[in-house]
Amino acid sequence: MIHPASRGAGVGSDGPHCPDFSLEKQENAFLMALKIHPRAFPDPHPASEESDAGQTIVLAGGCFWCTEAVYAQLDGVLAVRPGYAGGSAATANYDDVCTGATGHAEAIEIAFDPARVSLGQILKVFFSIAHDPTQVNRQGADVGPQYRSAIFYANDAQRLVAERYIAQIEAAALFDAPVATTLEPLDRFYEAEPYHHDYAARNRWQPYIRTVATPKVEKLRKTHPHLLKDRA
């Protein structure tokens, strides 16, 4: 993900710069390898472990502005926080993480009500809408291990649910390439700097947001209207 001032003319923010990419590159690079319509993407098989999975999950799927924007739409999602996972506290800041050398991934922490939205539904949106899980250490033109696809599991139940769903997806050959999502134990989630929070909602006309985040939100709204907070 590139710094706000680098992405859209006249759009600025406090904070350091990540590598710059043109909007044309972003548009051309973000093409999902999914072979079916997202509406046809299967639910995960029922898993008894879901009852022990807890009420928060940390997911990494490229730019956290974009994944936050998607999950903010879902009924049952109580809060979404952008941040960093997979590295140490000493380098858990945007400037260092953008180097790609800290071990962190840009991630979001999702707090949810399991009575309204299941972990399985959250993972279904993750794999079919929020990002391309076949891309390795990148999402579109955002390149580097900080943009890797990862599920940071907080307990064995989360790991088992995710493992089985990935195996189900692979067995069904839903993508043109293997799922590259890594399962990594969650040591700690580091909340991102304040200016990253609700970034897409606050900057909806910014070119990067219109090119990368907005199409994901629109795809979710068209594909799964029954999952939305403002569903009719």
Side-chain angles (χ1 to χ4, degrees):
M1 183 175 59
I2 56 179
H3 180 264
S6 300
R7 296 185 213 183
V11 180
S13 170
D14 296 327
H17 289 256
C18 280
D20 194 1
F21 295 103
S22 71
L23 292 179
E24 182 180 2
K25 286 184 179 179
Q26 289 287 355
E27 290 173 333
N28 292 338
F30 196 83
L31 297 173
M32 285 191 71
L34 185 60
K35 296 192 292 186
I36 61 173
H37 192 281
R39 189 177 291 111
F41 204 88
D43 291 325
H45 296 319
S48 60
E49 289 83 6
E50 275 211 36
S51 61
D52 299 319
Q55 299 181 11
T56 61
I57 185 72
V58 174
L59 305 176
C63 166
F64 50 23
W65 298 345
C66 303
T67 50
E68 179 192 43
V70 169
Y71 282 100
Q73 306 289 315
L74 290 186
D75 183 46
V77 168
L78 307 177
V80 188
R81 295 195 300 163
Y84 315 105
S88 71
T91 53
N93 63 80
Y94 195 54
D95 193 8
D96 286 334
V97 171
C98 279
T99 68
T102 68
H104 297 90
E106 286 196 13
I108 53 171
E109 179 192 65
I110 303 167
F112 63 98
D113 178 357
R116 293 160 61 193
V117 63
S118 68
L119 176 59
Q121 289 295 321
I122 287 172
L123 293 179
K124 178 178 178 177
V125 170
F126 180 65
F127 286 113
S128 65
I129 302 284
H131 82 310
D132 182 348
T134 70
Q135 295 196 22
V136 179
N137 289 334
R138 69 181 300 160
Q139 281 295 302
D142 293 331
V143 179
Q146 69 271 33
Y147 302 114
R148 68 188 181 272
S149 174
I151 297 171
F152 290 89
Y153 59 87
N155 51 55
D156 285 340
Q158 290 184 357
R159 178 180 57 80
L160 286 169
V161 170
E163 277 182 350
R164 290 172 183 170
Y165 196 26
I166 291 172
Q168 177 186 341
I169 291 168
E170 291 285 68
L174 301 178
F175 291 94
D176 285 329
V179 171
T181 306
T182 59
L183 302 181
E184 306 179 33
L186 178 65
D187 179 37
R188 183 176 171 187
F189 177 79
Y190 304 97
E191 188 170 0
E193 296 83 351
Y195 64 87
H196 291 299
H197 292 243
D198 298 314
Y199 187 87
R202 292 185 293 102
N203 297 276
R204 63 183 62 188
W205 301 116
Q206 201 251 37
Y208 179 92
I209 295 302
R210 285 189 291 137
T211 302
V212 183
T214 300
K216 296 180 182 183
V217 173
E218 291 176 346
K219 182 162 59 171
L220 172 67
R221 297 186 67 82
K222 291 177 182 177
T223 304
H224 300 302
H226 60 290
L227 296 179
L228 302 176
K229 289 177 178 175
D230 60 353
R231 64 187 184 275

